């Protein structure tokens, strides 16, 4: 759960720190929320989505975190190659988000 919170905070901070106006950030946040919820596997199983939407889901870090947490919840968590790819992808995005935040702070 801490991983989701840190990923959400650092990712959203990295994205929204680039906007000058609150209205623009609000519109982007609404659109991103819908995309994340739809492609994260929360509302519809990703396997039932069309191929082009699946590719968007595979880029969505929440999809990977959701897969990990569901497997932990169902007690089917196993250290497979897919698990390492998901964890590595999420951690790399977390590092990139932290670098963007640091770069934006230096720019100000």
């Amino acid at each position: 759960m801490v991983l989701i919170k840190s990923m959400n905070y650092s990712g959203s901070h990295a994205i929204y720190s680039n906007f000058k106006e609150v209205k623009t950030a609000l519109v982007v946040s609404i659109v991103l929320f819908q995309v994340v919820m739809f492609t994260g596997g929360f509302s519809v199983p990703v396997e039932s989505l069309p191929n082009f939407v699946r590719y968007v889901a595979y880029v969505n870090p929440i999809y990977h975190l959701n897969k990990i947490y569901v497997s932990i919840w169902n007690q089917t968590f196993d250290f497979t190659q897919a698990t390492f790819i998901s964890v590595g992808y999420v951690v790399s995005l977390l590092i990139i988000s932290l670098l963007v935040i640091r770069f934006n702070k230096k720019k100000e």
Side-chain angles (χ1 to χ4, degrees):
M1 201 55 131
V2 172
L3 188 59
I4 283 183
K5 294 293 183 188
S6 64
M7 182 64 199
N8 285 342
Y9 176 72
S10 61
S12 62
H13 188 287
I15 291 170
Y16 298 126
S17 64
N18 293 316
F19 294 106
K20 304 269 190 266
E21 294 185 27
V22 175
K23 290 180 184 179
T24 308
L26 180 65
V27 171
V28 170
S29 68
I30 291 171
V31 171
L32 283 178
F33 177 76
Q34 296 299 323
V35 170
V36 166
M37 289 302 290
F38 191 70
T39 61
F42 297 111
S43 56
V44 177
V46 174
E47 293 77 25
S48 67
L49 297 173
N51 285 337
F52 70 95
V53 180
R54 281 188 211 172
Y55 293 123
V56 175
Y58 298 148
V59 175
N60 183 358
I62 302 300
Y63 165 76
H64 295 281
L65 289 172
N66 187 27
K67 278 181 30 179
I68 292 169
Y69 286 127
V70 166
S71 67
I72 291 171
W73 182 263
N74 293 333
Q75 298 176 352
T76 59
F77 182 76
D78 196 13
F79 288 105
T80 61
Q81 182 180 4
T83 304
F84 285 119
I85 289 172
S86 292
V87 170
Y89 180 69
V90 170
V91 169
S92 64
L93 285 179
L94 180 63
I95 291 169
I96 290 170
S97 297
L98 293 173
L99 290 173
V100 168
I101 292 169
R102 189 170 195 183
F103 177 74
N104 283 340
K105 283 187 179 181
K106 284 185 177 180
K107 196 167 53 170
E108 292 176 358

